[in-house]
Amino acid sequence: MRWAAANETARGAKDVTKMDGGVAQGPAHTPEIDSAVSIKTQKAAMPLYASRIKVHPKNVSGIYRNIKWAMLAACLAVYYIAPWLRWDRGSFAPNQAILIDLPGRRAYFFFLEIWPQEVYFLTGILVLAAFGLFLATALFGRIWCGYACPQTVWTDLFMLVERWIEGDRNARIRLDAAPASLGKFAKRTAKHASWIVLSLATGGACILFFGDAPTLLAELFTGRASASEYFFVGLFATTTYVLAGFAREQVCTYMCPWPRFQSAMLDDRSYVVTYEDWRGEPRGRLAKRPDGSDPFVGRGDCVDCNACVATCPTGIDIRDGQQLECIGCGLCIDACNAVMDKVGRPRSLIRFDTLDNQRARAEGGKPVHRLIRARTVLYAVLLVIVGSIMLVGVVLRSTVELTVQRDRNPLFVRLVDGSVRNAYTVHVLNKTHAQRDYTLTLEDLPGARLSMVGGDGAADRLVLSAKPDQVASYRVFVTLPDGASTKHESTHIEFKLRAADGRDQAERETVFIAPPQ
Amino acid sequence: MPTKIEKDAVTGTDTTGHEWDGIKELNTPLPKWWLYTFYATILWALGYFVLYPAWPGLSGHTAGVLGWTMRGEISESLAQAAAAQAPFVNRIGAASLEDIAKSTDLRNFAIAGGRSVFAVNCAPCHGAGAAGSKGFPNLVDDNWIWGGTLDDIHTTIQNGIRNSNPDSRIAQMPRFGADKILDAKQIDDVAEYVLSLSRRSRNAAAVERGAVVFSENCEACHLQGGVGNPEMGAPSLAANIWLYGGDKATLVETITNSRAGAMPAWSERLDAARIKMLTVYVHALGGGK
Ligand code: SF4
Ligand code: SF4
């Protein structure tokens, strides 16, 4: 409940609800809106549409900024290196480790090769990812949002470029306000040109997962790639340019569904970015006391320097309490720690902590750290269960599959010698990378003979061969001699397919239909 | 009705001056993006008028500068499809039927192509599954009136049966009853004999009499024991597979008035490669010899 209430705190509205509960409210530093009436009036005057207030995040250094740089480098490295990894699959399949081969209808992931009918592996991977995300969120809040989400990574990257070219926060604000000039134009051009190059590199790398990377790259640069390849490069480049260059935090706040329901994973013992309200308030500018006494006696530690707000990539004030917009990046922690060091107060006025601990600290109690809780255990167990199912699925994945389609028109045929014949279209899926022979036999229909188009006559078993990594189709006839009649009009039968080397096999049930006797 | 145009306090927009029961209509301007998109579509339409067929006239329409037509488009894609098939179609045209049936590649192509030719041309009579119906032979079984080898099937498709083509397959069974070759009693007896060929007669005396009639009148074509003669288009009478029906009344009717189903000579309508594909397809339905 607390989360939901906190999330409703509208940005721009200055109603400072904050975390309710045990955390001490600061004094009325915004007295004009303290009465319910004034808040209401404020809300009524608020337009339905508020245009974006441009955020100019200030650079910061510190532990969380370093982690964020490291994650940025790691994510980009994965993105750009992954399509170049090779994996030997023999001469009948591509040797790209991670490849989604749409025309060939295969997805390759290192040792795993997924056929279209096996998309449940993909579902499994997505379910795993979801539970992993739930677990991480229940433990540490929005670390995904703050450190690993592509939107965060690319926005960070674009901001870095922006800072190199246009300078830090203040320089950028000045540049925005400055009248048009050659210098401004040059900087803007340089920035957008770099952004566009980055966007194209992003879009270009994206399609490398869908084709042979070296070939595709050469084709892209020599103009020989297909129109659809250029289209997708353009599409992803455009979205990168718009989302990382312009939309930025608005994606997190307005477009992304994840912030809307992440509160369901969080509880008061999850680690989130919090402001130590009880210690920071009442805040105030630092001023030397005339008597030379400790300037912090009788007031809070927050010197109201605004460093935390200035550095926040989503432009919010963490001192207002938990907010939907906060992506949990921890940059405000770094900013505040630097300030605390300077003014000689203890660090961690803003810190990763749990709401429970904040309450405890406020009351002078001891913080407790409990990572093992009902919900984290639940997510972990689900993670293990789904992971095990996946593992079993992968290990037991058969390299051969059999599908059988019965001819329905006609249902059966009576032959000259009085025997009855049914026809089936049999598909043999050879998932190995070698040509293989399989033996097809029939169960549950004594006396029946098998034959096929292109084969040589009836027998009790057929040899079907399939090319490497291909589906082979055969038209197979099952003939029941006159006299060997079936009990019912429709008899359940089972085709059995066994690899010639005897290791893999597949079965498929179907029916045999004979006219009523 | 417009009364007074005033400024709305909340939005800062003028009203239109329309008022219904105290509800005033705001004169909100169209969003810019919408307006410009609208103008752009107008420009687009103008360009379209010039480039593409657009305006109807009394005897046709404006052709457009590009000369684009839908008909042209489809013939282009048809030509493309034909060009893509050409290598296979040419190989089919050059290969013998046996070679096509033996090569997996060619056979698969021929069966796929034959299936579509069949669906368009043959299915109306023989049925989508080629199982036939009364008067139209089942092509899935192994009972063939004019023979079930690749060559037999090819000739049948090529020249057809009882049509005006000079090479048409012709066979005419006498109208034994209508032309008074046999009397009613003899027809009844011979029908009983035919029933006995598929072990369905209970009247031994009639069968015995019918056997004599059969050997004198029918055996020349249907051969001894009624096994049929594909050379002459004489169906087997022993297989218990019937084109018009095998019950006694139908047999009597067939013997009395004869039957004369016809089939077109497809060489007049389909090219050689397509007929070959069709042949391989029909042969592979299951009954080919
Ligand atoms: S950075 Fe720290 S001291 Fe400065 S305003 Fe933010 S919370 Fe207060
Ligand atoms: S409030 Fe702090 S943790 Fe939240 S988004 Fe802003 S800088 Fe990051």
Side-chain angles (χ1 to χ4, degrees), chain A residues 164-185:
Chain A
W164 276 343
I165 296 170
E166 294 186 345
D168 206 359
R169 174 178 161 89
N170 292 336
R172 290 204 304 274
I173 294 177
R174 253 180 281 121
L175 187 69
D176 271 6
S181 72
L182 208 61
K184 181 172 176 174
F185 179 75

Side-chain angles (χ1 to χ4, degrees), chain B residues 23-282:
Chain B
I23 299 172
K24 294 172 187 165
E25 183 187 15
L26 282 187
N27 192 4
T28 310
L30 289 166
K32 285 245 168 44
W33 67 265
W34 189 93
L35 200 62
Y36 290 132
T37 314
F38 179 59
Y39 291 148
T41 58
I42 294 176
L43 284 180
W44 179 274
L46 289 177
Y48 195 98
F49 290 158
V50 178
L51 295 178
Y52 288 95
W55 291 101
L58 285 179
S59 59
H61 55 78
T62 55
V65 179
L66 293 183
W68 182 93
T69 64
M70 218 174 245
R71 204 178 282 273
E73 191 95 324
I74 187 118
S75 42
E76 211 169 279
S77 25
L78 284 179
Q80 267 173 18
Q85 291 170 352
F88 261 111
V89 173
N90 292 343
R91 273 172 69 194
I92 298 250
S96 74
L97 288 167
E98 278 72 21
D99 290 345
I100 299 173
K102 254 185 238 132
S103 138
T104 314
D105 273 3
L106 283 183
R107 184 179 65 232
N108 285 343
F109 184 86
I111 289 178
R115 178 180 295 123
S116 92
V117 177
F118 186 92
V120 175
N121 299 287
C122 317
C125 291
H126 291 284
S133 60
K134 185 174 177 180
F136 303 105
N138 183 338
L139 307 175
V140 188
D141 63 21
D142 58 348
N143 182 40
W144 299 94
I145 299 171
W146 288 97
T149 65
L150 281 166
D151 286 331
D152 289 338
I153 297 172
H154 189 253
T155 310
T156 306
I157 296 173
Q158 178 122 321
N159 303 332
I161 297 162
R162 295 185 200 92
N163 58 42
S164 54
N165 190 290
D167 293 327
S168 169
R169 289 192 187 276
I170 304 270
Q172 191 54 62
M173 170 169 156
R175 307 193 299 163
F176 286 102
D179 291 343
K180 308 235 162 25
I181 304 168
L182 298 174
D183 62 29
K185 177 91 179 59
Q186 285 170 307
I187 289 176
D188 194 82
D189 287 347
V190 86
E192 201 64 41
Y193 173 76
V194 170
L195 280 179
S196 78
L197 292 176
S198 44
R199 301 190 298 277
R200 293 182 299 143
S201 168
R202 292 212 190 82
N203 187 343
V207 169
E208 217 163 286
R209 290 195 300 276
V212 181
V213 182
F214 189 84
S215 70
E216 281 165 5
N217 296 281
C218 316
E219 237 171 63
C221 295
H222 290 285
L223 302 189
Q224 198 171 11
V227 294
N229 182 2
E231 305 274 304
M232 309 187 60
S236 162
L237 307 175
N240 199 13
I241 294 173
W242 304 99
L243 186 50
Y244 292 92
D247 59 298
K248 187 156 170 202
T250 312
L251 288 177
V252 167
E253 150 95 32
T254 303
I255 299 164
T256 307
N257 294 323
S258 171
R259 305 277 184 183
M263 167 171 161
W266 289 100
S267 59
E268 296 166 7
R269 308 193 200 175
L270 299 175
D271 63 39
R274 281 199 171 59
I275 291 182
K276 277 187 175 171
M277 293 198 266
L278 196 50
T279 306
V280 174
Y281 171 71
V282 170

Side-chain angles (χ1 to χ4, degrees), chain A residues 273 308 311-314 316 318 325-332:
Chain A
V273 178
C308 51
T311 201
C312 175
T314 73
I316 57 166
I318 188 65
E325 292 88 346
C326 175
I327 56 170
C329 63
L331 295 185
C332 50

Side-chain angles (χ1 to χ4, degrees), chain A residues 409 413 416 421 453-454 475 477, chain B residues 107 129 140-142 241 284-286:
Chain A
N409 180 10
V413 183
V416 169
R421 195 184 63 201
V453 172
R475 205 168 136 76
F477 303 109
Chain B
R107 184 179 65 232
V140 188
D141 63 21
D142 58 348
I241 294 173
L285 282 171

